[in-house]
């Protein structure tokens, strides 16, 4: 692995690791669904410009629109919109850890839908993932009662599941599709749908949107954290083995916890640290055989923040 690739992976992990705190901060500024819709639309337009500069096809074929709509709803509503809502009640670092349970769900879904064997190694990974979730949720489970924090945590676990389900759907229907073009239309369609819904339920405050500081955060999250970071990830997976690339960014949940603790004063309790370690072990074990088997996780990571 040459220095350019190592540098690219380092930059990507730092950008995506720090992004969760900025998103959490943004939710104190912008109405959540207006924020996520505008973020998705800006990111889509950024990628569209990149696609155009590379002189690649932009418009989907006539028969692709139905499948694009389904995948867009799964990704943008099931993943991005639900994540944005749930993060209002959960710290940014912990949010990243819970969402990154996705590769563990992948193993189970791929076993039943793609007929990819759920072997002993993946079962052990699933076991560690469950242990990690139990550790993180222990204080709520020990004296269980429904509150917004627990609701948010369960919502983020559901987001990880939806990320996995979207991955499986893409694997079945878009295996050979241009992933940049796919992401452009997923984000653009989903962003427009969420925007229409947001305008119905959230008041519009123009002072929020014309504030230079607020806009700088929005454009960083959208252009750098979503559009440019995705393009960088797309380049990385063309340069190195996809397994190496996938495992290399598993530091993101840990970095998110670190940034949340240092910059956003988020608590880092023992049960969260133990849970994060167990989940990372589970992810690595669940993903390890992807080096020699079908690379389901590759497509899923293409759609991260």
């Amino acid at each position: 692995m040459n220095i350019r690739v190592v540098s690219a992976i380092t930059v990507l992990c730092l950008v995506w690791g720090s992004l969760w705190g900025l998103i959490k901060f943004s939710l104190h500024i912008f109405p959540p669904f207006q924020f996520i819709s505008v973020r998705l639309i800006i990111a889509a337009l950024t990628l569209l410009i990149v696609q155009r500069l590379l002189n690649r096809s932009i418009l989907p074929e006539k028969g692709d629109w139905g499948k694009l709509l389904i995948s867009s709803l799964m990704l943008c509503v099931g993943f991005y919109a639900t994540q944005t809502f749930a993060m209002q009640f959960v710290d940014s670092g912990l949010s990243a850890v819970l969402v990154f349970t996705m590769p563990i769900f992948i193993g189970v879904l791929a076993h039943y839908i793609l007929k990819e064997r759920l072997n002993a190694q993946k079962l052990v990974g699933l076991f560690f993932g469950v242990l990690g979730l139990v550790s993180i949720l222990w204080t709520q489970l020990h004296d269980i009662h429904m509150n917004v924090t627990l609701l948010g945590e369960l919502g983020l676990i559901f987001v990880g599941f939806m990320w996995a389900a979207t991955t499986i759907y893409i694997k079945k229907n878009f295996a050979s599709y241009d992933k940049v073009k796919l992401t452009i239309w997923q984000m653009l369609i989903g962003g427009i749908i969420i925007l229409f819904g947001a305008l119905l339920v959230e008041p519009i405050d123009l002072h929020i949107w014309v504030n230079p500081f607020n806009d700088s955060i929005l454009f960083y999250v959208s252009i750098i954290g979503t559009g440019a970071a995705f393009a960088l990830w797309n380049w990385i997976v063309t340069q190195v083995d996809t397994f190496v690339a996938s495992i290399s960014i598993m530091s993101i949940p840990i970095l998110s916890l670190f940034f949340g603790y240092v910059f956003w004063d988020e608590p880092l309790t023992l049960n969260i640290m133990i849970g994060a370690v167990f989940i990372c072990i589970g992810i690595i074990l669940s993903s390890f055989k992807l080096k020699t088997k079908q690379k389901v996780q590759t497509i899923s990571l293409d759609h991260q923040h």
Side-chain angles (χ1 to χ4, degrees):
M1 191 184 300
N2 62 47
I3 188 64
R4 291 175 62 198
V5 176
V6 173
S7 300
I9 291 174
T10 302
V11 169
L12 187 67
C13 289
L14 289 173
V15 170
W16 273 344
S18 61
L19 194 65
W20 294 84
L22 283 174
I23 293 172
K24 177 73 175 180
F25 180 73
S26 299
L27 296 178
H28 295 298
I29 301 174
F30 300 99
F33 294 113
Q34 290 180 30
F35 168 72
I36 188 59
S37 60
V38 173
R39 174 193 170 192
L40 289 171
I41 292 170
I42 293 175
L45 294 177
T46 302
L47 291 175
L48 191 148
I49 293 171
V50 171
Q51 191 82 335
R52 185 64 179 173
L53 291 174
L54 294 174
N55 200 28
R56 293 178 179 172
S57 169
I58 293 175
L59 289 176
E61 299 294 329
K62 185 177 180 180
D64 295 335
W65 288 106
K67 292 181 292 184
L68 280 172
L69 177 60
I70 293 172
S71 63
S72 179
L73 290 173
M74 293 176 70
L75 180 70
C76 295
V77 178
F79 178 78
Y80 281 112
T82 306
Q83 171 194 296
T84 301
F85 175 78
M87 279 189 69
Q88 296 178 91
F89 314 113
V90 183
D91 290 336
S92 63
L94 181 54
S95 296
V97 172
L98 293 175
V99 171
F100 263 79
T101 56
M102 178 277 298
I104 299 170
F105 289 121
I106 279 283
V108 178
L109 293 176
H111 174 77
Y112 290 103
I113 298 174
L114 300 180
K115 308 303 179 185
E116 296 181 2
R117 182 169 167 265
L118 188 63
N119 56 31
Q121 181 176 308
K122 290 183 179 179
L123 286 171
V124 174
L126 180 62
F127 173 74
F128 273 101
V130 172
L131 277 183
L133 292 177
V134 171
S135 175
I136 288 172
L137 300 176
W138 179 250
T139 53
Q140 289 97 325
L141 295 175
H142 188 260
D143 182 22
I144 191 165
H145 59 280
M146 186 57 67
N147 55 50
V148 291
T149 301
L150 179 59
L151 182 65
E153 290 169 344
L154 293 175
L156 289 165
I157 296 171
F158 174 75
V159 168
F161 173 81
M162 283 304 301
W163 187 6
T166 306
T167 299
I168 298 297
Y169 184 83
I170 292 171
K171 177 69 175 180
K172 284 179 66 71
N173 295 280
F174 296 97
S176 59
Y177 207 79
D178 182 328
K179 299 306 183 298
V180 177
K181 181 164 74 171
L182 170 64
T183 307
I184 288 170
W185 289 103
Q186 281 182 312
M187 290 184 175
L188 194 57
I189 294 170
I192 292 171
I193 291 173
I194 296 171
L195 180 60
F196 277 118
L199 294 177
L200 292 175
V201 299
E202 294 176 340
I204 300 175
D205 185 349
L206 291 179
H207 295 290
I208 293 174
W209 298 97
V210 297
N211 181 296
F213 176 74
N214 295 350
D215 291 341
S216 66
I217 296 174
L218 175 64
F219 279 92
Y220 176 84
V221 170
S222 304
I223 297 175
I224 304 299
T226 305
F230 168 78
L232 182 61
W233 167 252
N234 215 36
W235 178 81
I236 290 170
V237 297
T238 65
Q239 302 297 309
V240 296
D241 185 278
T242 50
F243 167 75
V244 175
S246 299
I247 293 302
S248 68
I249 65 168
M250 288 308 159
S251 61
I252 289 173
I254 304 302
L255 283 172
S256 298
L257 285 172
F258 171 76
F259 286 129
Y261 176 73
V262 173
F263 295 110
W264 307 104
D265 295 321
E266 296 177 353
L268 191 57
T269 61
L270 181 61
N271 66 300
I272 290 176
M273 290 190 290
I274 293 172
V277 170
F278 279 149
I279 287 174
C280 286
I281 292 172
I283 290 170
I284 292 171
L285 288 174
S286 299
S287 308
F288 192 75
K289 288 297 182 180
L290 293 181
K291 188 174 183 179
T292 56
K293 295 187 177 182
Q294 291 182 333
K295 299 177 179 63
V296 179
Q297 189 178 343
T298 304
I299 300 174
S300 66
L301 289 169
D302 285 353
H303 296 82
Q304 182 191 5
H305 304 284

